[in-house]
Amino acid sequence: MVKDSSTQQLIKRISVNWSQLKMKYSSDQEYPDLSQHNNHMAKVLTPEIYESLRDKETPSGFTVDDVIQTGIDNPGHPFIMTVGCVAGDEETYEVFKELLDPVIEDRHGGYKPSDQHKTDLNPDNLQGGDDLDPDYVLSSRVRTGRSIRGFCLPPHCSRGERRAIENLSLESLDMLDGDLKGKYYALKNMSEEEQQQLIDDHFLFDKPVSPLLLASGMARDWPDGRGIWHNDNKTFLVWVNEEDHLRVISMQKGGNMKEVFNRFCTGLTKIEGLFKERSHEFMWNEHLGYVLTCPSNLGTGLRAGVHVKLPNVSKHDKFGDILKRLRLQKRGTGGVDTAAVGGVFDISNADRLGFSEVELVQMVVDGVNLLVDMEKKLEAGESIDDIIPEQK
Amino acid sequence: KRSSITRRVSLTERLHLLLQCEYHSGTAGDVGLEIILWSFLSVGPRSPQSADYPDLRKHNNCMASSLTPAIYAKLCDKATPNGYTLDLAIQTGVDNPGHPFIKTVGMVAGDEESYEVFSDLLDPIIKERHNGYDPSTMKHPTDLDASKIHSGNFDPRYVLSSRVRTGRSIRGLSLPPACTRAERREVERVVVDALAGLHGDLDGKYYSLTQMTDGEQQQLIDDHFLFDKPVSPLLTCAGMARDWPDARGIWHNNEKTFLVWVNEEDHTRVISMEKGGNMKRVFERFCKGLLEVERLIQERGWEFMWNERLGYVLTCPSNLGTGLRAGVHVKLPLLSKDPRLSKILDNLRLQKRGTGGVDTAAVGGVFDISNLDRLGLSEVQLVQTVVDGVNYLIECEKRLEKGQDIKVPPPPLKQFK
């Protein structure tokens, strides 16, 4: 159809009618049943907010129903209070502010719509952190995510967009050198040997099985456009098109968190520079920091953590309280959906937004040092009451 | 009353009508016109069409066999009046390259109009899946007169149970992959309202999945009636499990021989069943129940999705036409070991499954035997095919028991050119 002005008018009339079709039923008739639900979305989404948002969409067509589908389909999680909503693009956080601002406030310790987030990726600002006791701290790791501005996020991107993200990423990553020089393994082209090696290195990510992710559409077209890049030293790893455009991970055995964080910052800054050379930037703004798919990962998107042996401390009745005061969280060594085994815990920062990267890693370093001290005291039969910290 | 989508209008007339008409989705007469008008509309892709073309090199399903880059380019920026797009329709086939036992379809319909707007892809898929049936030229016969069935009472020493199922969709409401919560609730309301009007041996009760008590749930499990949230990725990737268990439920008659599933894989799945081999009686109840439900919804101003070229319209293209699967659980221990069984079944136009359903294998020589075909043959024809075929299989088993040899029946005449 030739798009002259009368046709333009026609199309406008039809689009108007089309969204009226979507509004055929009343808000009450469409409002989801959240009576069995316990996630942040369910706590916040009143019928009034739903009504106010249901006729809106982002420029790429993402609607409030798309935002909340995962939260409707997954009433709750046994270990954590899930968010229950996702973003389909950068604009989601604007268009659906009425829902997402309270979710963010609830999830991120009272972070207000007017608050500003500080970004600090200067590893020199970290104090200490190079000597966490390796008898207790088995490994150290820092991860974050990055989204490429101008593309839709994993719940909503088309195959073409996802492939473009993959191409941009591997072009940029290919330019890394020195300690960061590495190679990309596309999921759909991997040889059997490559696959086995990546599994042995614990690098390979598989198609998501968590219904939290599946229900939001992030696994569509698997494994098209997905892959893993890592440096030759196997200490710096990038996941492409899994739960975010990019997940960047720096890791190594032992307790030298400072070195891990150094590499993390250096790598990220270099990658950002390489993308900019190709006229692309990361999604970032002053209020939300780095913009990612899940509202829980806004700000720094950073999870800095260790695998640490705490068999005695973990049995102390104040363990949960101590972690809370240190602004840390515990997970099993299999990740967010697992429980701890053999007294070995994954301990990481609980916060993402409202603190800078340096501040969060500092909390982990200081907190883990304290926990290891407590473990040693309990081993020696001493009390730890006098070193229980104040609330940070 | 039955809308046949054959009206053709000129381009000028179309544009003229676009400027004037009001959009009333779902009324039978306007559906055809809307479809033609909407199929000219461009939704607008976000990236070049070729960049979005799926990688189907490892795929083996009907969609992958038919979706050429040219067809993709032609259809990818079209949408039905409800906004359902090609990418949505094929997502399940992209996400599920193949199935160990069967060649899957790989595509679903989001609404009745999908079968028109995406006919360039769906027609060849329908042709492949339905034995050469060409929707652009052929007509599908509907026949729900159960009195025509003969010899439909099987030897109960062999046939443990008999069952007939189909699906029905409510015209004007989107199908499970695409429906909104309000539409799904409307389907539930319309169907449950109609079922409440059934009497006599069809008198029954509705159990909503969101409201059933633990006791009711256990009873439905014990009766093998309860359906659970789909786990098959074929279904979940198509979006059919959204908002579970909202507006889903099970209705059955007091005698537990007539059952309706609401909002599972289709708007309704209708099942008639009983222990033993009286397939004729099962089919009689099936037809009576279906026709009665149809009458009841029509009284309230609704109708089933049906047209002359595709018969009853359902979510999966494999279920078009009659949507009918008539089958038995039958003991054929000797025949099950005979290497000629597959050929015999093929020639009888029957398929075997395990007694757990489509994704299972047979156990202990007991098979689920049912018709292969759905479209291009009427309900009566298909049930008679099953009746004749099962009688033949039982004859074979009896002969093998006596040490006699069996014959592979001749292949049927090629049905559709």
Side-chain angles (χ1 to χ4, degrees):
Chain A
M1 247 172 132
V2 175
K3 293 211 169 137
D4 60 17
S5 72
S6 58
T7 315
Q8 298 274 23
Q9 279 175 38
L10 265 173
I11 291 173
K12 192 157 181 236
R13 281 279 300 255
I14 291 159
S15 312
V16 164
N17 282 328
W18 192 343
S19 49
Q20 282 169 2
L21 266 174
K22 282 197 300 190
M23 303 293 284
K24 190 163 63 168
Y25 292 90
S26 76
S27 184
D28 280 341
Q29 289 172 310
E30 292 284 6
Y31 183 73
D33 178 354
L34 300 171
S35 54
Q36 306 296 313
H37 289 61
N38 181 37
N39 55 51
H40 286 294
M41 179 279 291
K43 283 169 67 176
V44 169
L45 186 70
T46 60
E48 292 73 33
I49 293 181
Y50 183 74
E51 179 158 21
S52 158
L53 295 178
R54 66 188 285 250
D55 60 351
K56 298 187 177 21
E57 57 183 44
T58 68
S60 73
F62 205 62
T63 65
V64 72
D65 288 321
D66 295 326
V67 172
I68 66 178
Q69 191 66 58
T70 180
I72 298 172
D73 289 345
N74 297 288
H77 187 282
F79 297 150
I80 55 178
M81 171 81 146
T82 47
V83 175
C85 35
V86 291
D89 51 25
E90 191 166 11
E91 294 83 351
T92 300
Y93 289 102
E94 263 309 303
V95 174
F96 302 111
K97 280 175 80 56
E98 221 178 310
L99 168 64
L100 290 170
D101 279 353
V103 166
I104 288 167
E105 193 165 339
D106 215 12
R107 176 54 174 231
H108 292 283
Y111 193 80
K112 303 237 169 323
S114 53
D115 286 342
Q116 296 225 334
H117 171 82
K118 197 173 71 175
T119 293
D120 181 359
L121 282 161
N122 184 350
D124 295 336
N125 291 339
L126 182 70
Q127 320 264 8
D130 54 349
D131 59 355
L132 302 178
D133 190 336
D135 286 339
Y136 295 84
V137 178
L138 307 176
S139 59
S140 308
R141 180 186 189 262
V142 182
R143 69 85 161 151
T144 188
R146 291 290 185 263
S147 310
I148 305 174
R149 180 160 280 163
F151 292 94
C152 291
L153 296 168
H156 192 46
C157 64
S158 68
R159 281 179 292 275
E161 286 182 294
R162 202 184 294 111
R163 290 161 179 170
I165 291 161
E166 185 188 33
N167 281 335
L168 265 172
S169 301
L170 66 92
E171 266 176 25
S172 304
L173 294 167
D174 244 6
M175 305 294 296
L176 290 172
D177 59 8
D179 169 48
L180 296 176
K181 182 161 156 31
K183 187 175 165 187
Y184 182 70
Y185 303 86
L187 249 57
K188 65 178 179 181
N189 289 339
M190 213 173 270
S191 69
E192 296 273 335
E193 297 78 33
E194 286 169 341
Q195 187 172 306
Q196 194 52 51
Q197 187 60 55
L198 287 165
I199 290 173
D200 295 340
D201 290 327
H202 304 288
F203 284 173
L204 186 64
F205 64 89
D206 210 352
K207 182 169 179 175
V209 294
S210 166
L212 298 174
L213 300 184
L214 296 176
S216 68
M218 293 189 221
R220 286 171 304 128
D221 314 311
W222 202 275
D224 196 324
R226 276 83 169 191
I228 292 159
W229 181 96
H230 70 79
N231 66 348
D232 297 335
N233 293 338
K234 300 187 184 182
T235 53
F236 192 74
L237 172 65
V238 179
W239 288 352
V240 179
N241 285 319
E242 193 237 14
E243 192 181 329
D244 278 292
H245 287 172
L246 303 170
R247 282 289 177 96
V248 178
I249 301 153
S250 172
M251 62 210 256
Q252 63 194 57
K253 294 248 181 271
N256 195 341
M257 180 62 91
K258 185 151 177 100
E259 194 170 82
V260 169
F261 188 54
N262 264 355
R263 189 183 310 112
F264 176 82
C265 295
T266 309
L268 265 177
T269 308
K270 284 200 170 142
I271 293 171
E272 184 161 16
L274 289 162
F275 270 95
K276 285 206 169 125
E277 277 174 21
R278 284 154 187 76
S279 308
H280 285 89
E281 48 181 12
F282 293 147
M283 290 183 196
W284 181 94
N285 65 61
E286 273 179 342
H287 167 54
L288 295 178
Y290 289 102
V291 174
L292 294 177
T293 304
C294 182
S296 70
N297 281 323
L298 290 166
T300 59
L302 185 137
R303 194 169 92 84
V306 298
H307 284 183
V308 58
K309 285 192 279 204
L310 299 171
N312 291 299
V313 173
S314 60
K315 293 198 197 85
H316 195 284
D317 57 9
K318 287 221 170 64
F319 184 48
D321 195 37
I322 292 167
L323 288 176
K324 192 153 175 279
R325 290 170 187 225
L326 292 173
R327 306 195 72 90
L328 299 177
Q329 66 174 202
K330 67 174 178 14
R331 302 181 180 191
T333 53
V336 68
D337 289 319
T338 67
V341 171
V344 182
F345 287 84
D346 176 315
I347 301 288
S348 63
N349 52 294
D351 302 294
R352 303 273 183 274
L353 175 65
F355 298 92
S356 74
E357 288 81 354
V358 166
E359 284 169 347
L360 292 177
V361 178
Q362 193 69 65
M363 278 187 226
V364 174
V365 162
D366 297 343
V368 170
N369 273 330
L370 181 60
L371 286 167
V372 170
D373 282 344
M374 287 178 170
E375 182 66 24
K376 287 172 175 168
K377 282 195 146 191
L378 290 173
E379 272 175 26
E382 295 166 23
S383 150
I384 56 170
D385 290 342
D386 57 338
I387 55 171
I388 289 184
E390 297 294 311
Q391 175 68 54
K392 275 182 165 272
Chain B
K1 218 198 290 193
R2 296 206 189 285
S3 164
S4 163
I5 302 166
T6 54
R7 186 178 164 190
R8 296 276 176 254
V9 290
S10 70
L11 179 55
T12 341
E13 197 179 333
R14 281 178 204 133
L15 297 179
H16 186 63
L17 286 160
L18 271 173
L19 284 167
Q20 288 187 338
C21 70
E22 300 267 306
Y23 287 90
H24 299 291
S25 156
T27 53
D30 290 341
V31 164
L33 186 56
E34 271 182 35
I35 286 164
I36 295 159
L37 297 173
W38 282 99
S39 66
F40 278 90
L41 206 65
S42 200
V43 174
R46 286 189 304 247
S47 29
Q49 293 152 351
S50 57
D52 277 317
Y53 181 72
D55 182 349
L56 300 171
R57 290 172 294 174
K58 297 206 171 114
H59 289 60
N60 180 36
N61 55 51
C62 298
M63 180 278 291
S65 302
S66 288
L67 185 65
T68 62
I71 292 180
Y72 185 79
K74 184 174 176 195
L75 298 179
C76 71
D77 56 356
K78 305 225 176 326
T80 68
N82 296 308
Y84 199 67
T85 63
L86 180 72
D87 281 333
L88 289 169
I90 65 174
Q91 191 67 60
T92 179
V94 174
D95 290 344
N96 296 289
H99 187 281
F101 297 153
I102 54 180
K103 183 171 184 182
T104 45
V105 174
M107 178 168 182
V108 292
D111 48 25
E112 188 166 10
E113 296 82 348
S114 295
Y115 286 101
E116 288 304 316
V117 175
F118 307 119
S119 61
D120 285 316
L121 176 58
L122 277 161
D123 282 1
I125 288 175
I126 289 168
K127 207 165 167 183
E128 180 188 346
R129 180 53 177 237
H130 294 281
N131 209 31
Y133 182 87
D134 186 348
S136 60
T137 57
M138 296 177 183
K139 290 194 184 173
H140 169 81
T142 292
D143 185 356
L144 285 162
D145 180 358
S147 68
K148 294 178 182 163
I149 301 296
H150 59 84
S151 316
N153 200 345
F154 304 120
D155 188 334
R157 290 173 298 168
Y158 296 88
V159 175
L160 307 175
S161 59
S162 308
R163 179 185 190 264
V164 182
R165 69 88 161 150
T166 188
R168 290 289 186 264
S169 311
I170 309 292
R171 175 160 281 159
L173 297 168
S174 300
L175 296 169
C179 64
T180 67
R181 281 179 295 278
E183 286 184 292
R184 201 186 294 112
R185 293 162 179 171
E186 185 76 337
V187 169
E188 185 187 38
R189 190 193 64 77
V190 170
V191 172
V192 170
D193 202 40
L195 292 170
L198 293 174
H199 300 302
D201 67 321
L202 294 178
D203 195 21
K205 186 176 164 180
Y206 181 66
Y207 303 87
S208 141
L209 248 57
T210 51
Q211 284 161 13
M212 69 175 60
T213 66
D214 284 346
E216 287 168 339
Q217 186 173 307
Q218 194 53 53
Q219 186 59 57
L220 287 165
I221 291 173
D222 295 340
D223 290 328
H224 304 288
F225 283 172
L226 187 64
F227 64 87
D228 209 352
K229 181 169 178 174
V231 294
S232 166
L234 298 176
L235 302 182
T236 55
C237 291
M240 294 190 220
R242 288 171 304 128
D243 314 310
W244 202 274
D246 195 321
R248 273 83 168 191
I250 293 160
W251 180 99
H252 70 78
N253 65 347
N254 299 330
E255 296 177 12
K256 301 186 182 178
T257 53
F258 192 71
L259 171 66
V260 178
W261 289 351
V262 179
N263 284 319
E264 192 236 14
E265 193 182 330
D266 278 292
H267 284 173
T268 66
R269 282 289 178 96
V270 178
I271 302 153
S272 172
M273 59 210 258
E274 46 181 83
K275 293 250 182 267
N278 198 339
M279 177 63 92
K280 179 160 171 140
R281 187 167 64 199
V282 166
F283 187 52
E284 280 169 347
R285 186 182 314 110
F286 176 83
C287 295
K288 176 174 140 188
L290 270 175
L291 291 167
E292 189 56 14
V293 171
E294 185 162 18
R295 190 188 65 76
L296 288 161
I297 65 164
Q298 281 170 346
E299 269 179 14
R300 292 155 178 75
W302 297 89
E303 52 181 12
F304 290 143
M305 291 184 195
W306 181 95
N307 64 62
E308 267 184 340
R309 29 171 232 125
L310 297 177
Y312 289 102
V313 174
L314 294 175
T315 304
C316 183
S318 70
N319 282 322
L320 290 166
T322 60
L324 185 137
R325 195 170 91 84
V328 297
H329 284 184
V330 58
K331 280 193 286 205
L332 302 168
L334 297 173
L335 192 52
S336 71
K337 298 193 191 85
D338 194 305
R340 291 169 289 184
L341 177 58
S342 283
K343 191 86 181 102
I344 293 172
L345 290 172
D346 274 350
N347 288 356
L348 293 172
R349 298 301 300 161
L350 297 176
Q351 65 174 198
K352 67 174 174 18
R353 301 179 180 191
T355 51
V358 68
D359 290 319
T360 67
V363 170
V366 182
F367 291 92
D368 175 314
I369 301 285
S370 63
N371 51 296
L372 267 170
D373 303 302
R374 304 270 184 273
L375 174 64
L377 296 158
S378 75
E379 289 82 354
V380 165
Q381 286 172 304
L382 291 177
V383 172
Q384 193 63 58
T385 301
V386 172
V387 165
D388 296 343
V390 170
N391 278 328
Y392 191 91
L393 292 169
I394 293 172
E395 270 314 299
C396 287
E397 184 71 17
K398 286 175 172 170
R399 289 178 70 86
L400 289 172
E401 281 170 17
K402 293 188 213 137
Q404 293 167 345
D405 196 17
I406 58 173
K407 273 215 276 258
V408 174
L413 298 165
K414 193 156 163 54
Q415 282 164 306
F416 312 117
K417 291 214 180 60

